Amino acid sequence: MFNRYLNVAKSKLFWRRLFTVVFTSSSLLPNFGSQPAMAQVTEYCQLPSAAVQEKENLRLSALKGKQDAQTRYQNLLQKQAQELRECRTRTWPKIQAIWLRLYPCDVQPGTIDQIMDRIVNRGYNQVYLEVFSDGQVLLPARTNPTVWPAVIRTPGAENIDILATAIKKGRQRGLKVYAWMFTTNFGYTYAQRRDREDAIARNGKGQTSLYVVDNGSQLFIDPYNTQAKRDYYRLVQEILRRRPDGLLLDYVRYPRQAGSDSIATKVSDLWLFSPATQEALFKRAQNYKGLDLIRRFLSKGFVTGTDVTQVDKLYPQEGEPLWQGRILPPGQKSILSATDRQPLLQWELWQLAVAHAMQGILDFVNIASYPAKQQGIPTGVVFFSDGNQTVGQGYDSRLQPWDRFPATLEWHPMAYGTCGNVSCIVAQVQRVLSMAKPGTQIIPALAGKWGESVSNRPSLEAQMQALRKFAPQLKGVSHFAYSWQYPQSDNDRKFCRTR
């Protein structure tokens, strides 16, 4: 496998050619009575203010224990759920989703109801609920079998399953609730475990991501590490026990570094220096010459003509150095001198190292999505549209090979361009559309607010109108985030303030 990507060594190689044939995977899978709906909604399937206020009044009355209000409230929820379904079938986009984070304070009675009501009011029919981020999981503290602490650790709330509650209350309103998870970013709490040190990704400078990412809380793991795979696999299984409507994998990449370090130009920039990644890289060698040169290249960052000569002398019975992707006639020895062969060998070793790092991400996606696939639950991958580019002689440090993600997964490109208008956002989405295989479901994520520009981005309406020309290729969009739509409410919920 991975048989052709180095055959054009004398010309500049565009990034995608790294993966014309994919490495052999090293996954762990074997082991592991109402008015017509048109009168009830406005453009974008949003509810008119009168309907919003009626529902909120009933929610508050029901919260006070008034049985009649509770019945009327539930009936109204069902009615509006039906109206939302009908509206979305005839309105682009068919899928309009919003990203949501919950807090420990949200266990208070009525809070999840209010959040989900507001989501329906804005015409959304899907919710991307954050269930694993910053090294914490949205599972009950008392029955959390994972290696990460629970988000909610409030005394007396140890048994509250807010994830299951959110899924249930979302569905009552006609919403599909996806579980949104960080992936190779395991969070700072994972770094505190002495028994997981080998699972942490390291570059050639001896650094972990805690020292190269600004906020110091992002811990990226070695995607080849067996323990990290098992830990994450168990986490996914536990989340799926709540039967969300889908799974979203975010942070499917390596750390994003700043300044000149944002471009990987040498081996020490790559996250190849943890035991499992190195062991897997050495296994890509197909003879002793290949293995020896890979080791020398990894240790120094280059090979010399002297290295090539020494390897030839050590293994005279072998032909050219071989590793996965380096295809030469069996037993053939080059007539070129070691000095003449050195530039090509060094270039091919660099391409091998980059491709190996990226393949780790692809393998990890396969493992992470496997439990959902087994249960028939849709899975999506979240990525930056520019995360897989070459930059000069180097590569974007995130090494995010999204154009090799399977077409069976939903693609969620983050179209977060900030150029003051829609042009850069449209360009980001166009790039993804141009590289996706036919049939891939693409749901761009947009950042912004309804009715106003924010952070140098146009309103959500303006962004959506600009993307509408790509229908029917685009059947959905998502909006980041609920906290942007309701900033005061989000802040109040963080600190359990009531109004």
Side-chain angles (χ1 to χ4, degrees):
M1 307 299 283
F2 187 56
N3 290 332
R4 301 193 298 273
Y5 83 97
L6 297 176
N7 291 346
V8 290
K10 294 183 180 180
S11 63
K12 185 176 180 180
L13 199 64
F14 182 68
W15 185 89
R16 291 190 69 202
R17 311 251 337 239
L18 281 172
F19 289 96
T20 49
V21 179
V22 180
F23 280 140
T24 301
S25 174
S26 59
S27 73
L28 295 175
L29 299 186
N31 304 315
F32 289 87
S34 59
Q35 295 178 352
M38 282 293 288
Q40 299 300 311
V41 293
T42 61
E43 191 178 11
Y44 301 107
C45 300
Q46 297 180 359
L47 287 171
S49 57
V52 170
Q53 191 59 55
E54 177 190 5
K55 180 167 58 177
E56 177 63 2
N57 291 341
L58 287 173
R59 183 188 72 83
L60 292 172
S61 295
L63 194 58
K64 294 176 181 177
K66 297 181 180 180
Q67 189 59 48
D68 178 64
Q70 177 65 38
T71 302
R72 291 168 58 200
Y73 179 54
Q74 292 299 323
N75 289 340
L76 185 58
L77 294 183
Q78 294 179 24
K79 175 176 175 288
Q80 290 182 351
Q82 180 60 31
E83 291 171 348
L84 179 62
R85 281 190 290 269
E86 292 177 3
C87 182
R88 290 258 72 102
T89 61
R90 62 176 180 268
T91 305
W92 186 89
K94 305 298 183 189
I95 296 169
Q96 185 172 282
I98 191 166
W99 303 76
L100 172 66
R101 168 178 282 190
L102 296 180
Y103 304 103
C105 303
D106 292 331
V107 300
Q108 295 180 0
T111 302
I112 300 294
D113 289 298
Q114 184 183 46
I115 293 169
M116 294 299 176
D117 284 351
R118 285 174 168 172
I119 288 172
V120 170
N121 296 344
R122 289 292 177 99
Y124 296 106
N125 60 345
Q126 289 192 9
V127 181
Y128 299 157
L129 177 62
E130 190 175 61
V131 299
F132 173 58
S133 66
D134 300 329
Q136 299 180 91
V137 297
L138 200 66
L139 293 172
R142 185 161 290 165
T143 56
N144 171 21
T146 75
V147 296
W148 294 277
V151 171
I152 301 172
R153 300 187 294 275
T154 310
E158 296 88 352
N159 291 321
I160 294 179
D161 194 335
I162 196 171
L163 171 56
T165 298
I167 292 172
K168 177 183 177 181
K169 290 186 178 294
R171 286 181 180 154
Q172 286 176 345
R173 292 158 175 82
L175 299 168
K176 287 188 175 182
V177 182
Y178 275 47
W180 160 34
M181 308 176 63
F182 285 16
T183 309
T184 53
N185 178 1
F186 276 22
Y188 179 74
T189 57
Y190 199 79
Q192 296 176 304
R193 297 186 63 105
R194 293 284 184 88
D195 58 346
R196 296 299 194 273
E197 288 182 357
D198 283 349
I200 301 172
R202 285 180 170 79
N203 61 23
K205 305 161 193 172
Q207 299 169 319
T208 70
S209 58
L210 292 175
Y211 300 96
V212 302
V213 179
D214 287 343
N215 62 16
S217 67
Q218 297 184 16
L219 183 84
F220 285 79
I221 50 87
D222 172 359
Y224 286 98
N225 182 272
T226 299
Q227 185 64 63
K229 293 176 184 178
R230 287 176 176 154
D231 287 340
Y232 197 80
Y233 195 87
R234 186 173 190 182
L235 169 63
V236 172
Q237 287 180 311
E238 195 63 26
I239 295 297
L240 294 182
R241 284 183 57 196
R242 278 75 184 168
R243 298 298 297 180
D245 296 292
L247 189 71
L248 276 186
L249 304 175
D250 197 359
Y251 281 88
V252 192
R253 57 178 177 86
Y254 293 98
R256 183 177 199 168
Q257 301 184 57
S260 60
D261 290 334
S262 65
I263 310 302
T265 57
K266 53 189 181 299
V267 177
S268 60
D269 295 331
L270 303 179
W271 301 89
L272 298 175
F273 294 84
S274 43
T277 285
Q278 290 197 8
E279 181 182 355
L281 177 59
F282 296 149
K283 287 181 179 179
R284 301 210 185 275
Q286 294 182 332
N287 62 8
Y288 288 110
K289 282 187 177 181
L291 176 59
D292 201 329
L293 281 182
I294 292 171
R295 288 184 181 276
R296 292 173 189 238
F297 182 71
L298 196 62
S299 65
K300 298 186 298 184
F302 59 88
V303 292
T304 64
T306 300
D307 288 321
V308 178
T309 298
Q310 290 176 349
V311 168
D312 284 342
K313 290 180 179 179
L314 283 170
Y315 308 102
Q317 75 281 10
E318 294 183 350
E320 279 289 286
L322 294 176
W323 47 78
Q324 287 181 0
R326 191 163 204 254
I327 308 300
L328 295 170
Q332 177 175 313
K333 294 186 178 181
S334 174
I335 61 174
L336 298 176
S337 69
T339 301
D340 289 336
R341 290 156 60 208
Q342 179 273 334
L344 175 58
L345 284 166
Q346 179 163 301
W347 184 87
E348 290 182 321
L349 285 163
W350 167 240
Q351 302 304 321
L352 173 69
V354 172
H356 177 71
M358 293 177 177
Q359 186 61 40
I361 298 297
L362 295 172
D363 285 351
F364 204 89
V365 167
N366 287 336
I367 293 164
S369 60
Y370 186 74
K373 180 181 178 181
Q374 291 295 97
Q375 296 182 38
I377 295 174
T379 302
V381 276
V382 187
F383 57 87
F384 291 102
S385 63
D386 58 351
N388 65 342
Q389 294 190 106
T390 55
V391 185
Q393 298 298 312
Y395 297 85
D396 186 298
S397 63
R398 292 167 292 188
L399 296 181
Q400 189 168 49
W402 58 260
D403 58 326
R404 298 300 304 181
F405 290 154
T408 53
L409 300 179
E410 296 175 4
W411 287 17
H412 292 256
M414 292 174 281
Y416 292 168
T418 53
C419 55
N421 56 58
V422 298
S423 61
C424 51
I425 296 166
V426 169
Q428 289 176 334
V429 175
Q430 278 182 311
R431 183 168 191 263
V432 175
L433 289 170
S434 70
M435 299 172 76
K437 292 180 180 179
T440 306
Q441 185 169 5
I442 301 170
I443 304 173
L446 307 176
K449 296 182 68 174
W450 292 101
E452 62 180 287
S453 298
V454 60
S455 301
N456 209 26
R457 297 181 180 92
S459 68
L460 290 174
E461 294 95 325
Q463 295 184 52
M464 291 169 69
Q465 284 299 322
L467 295 181
R468 189 166 186 168
K469 64 184 177 183
F470 298 125
Q473 282 181 282
L474 296 182
K475 294 183 179 179
V477 299
S478 66
H479 296 162
F480 188 89
Y482 180 90
S483 59
W484 286 35
Q485 306 298 331
Y486 301 97
Q488 185 62 58
S489 169
D490 191 76
N491 196 50
D492 290 343
R493 289 167 43 233
K494 285 181 184 178
F495 303 104
C496 295
R497 289 194 293 256
T498 58
R499 289 177 178 265

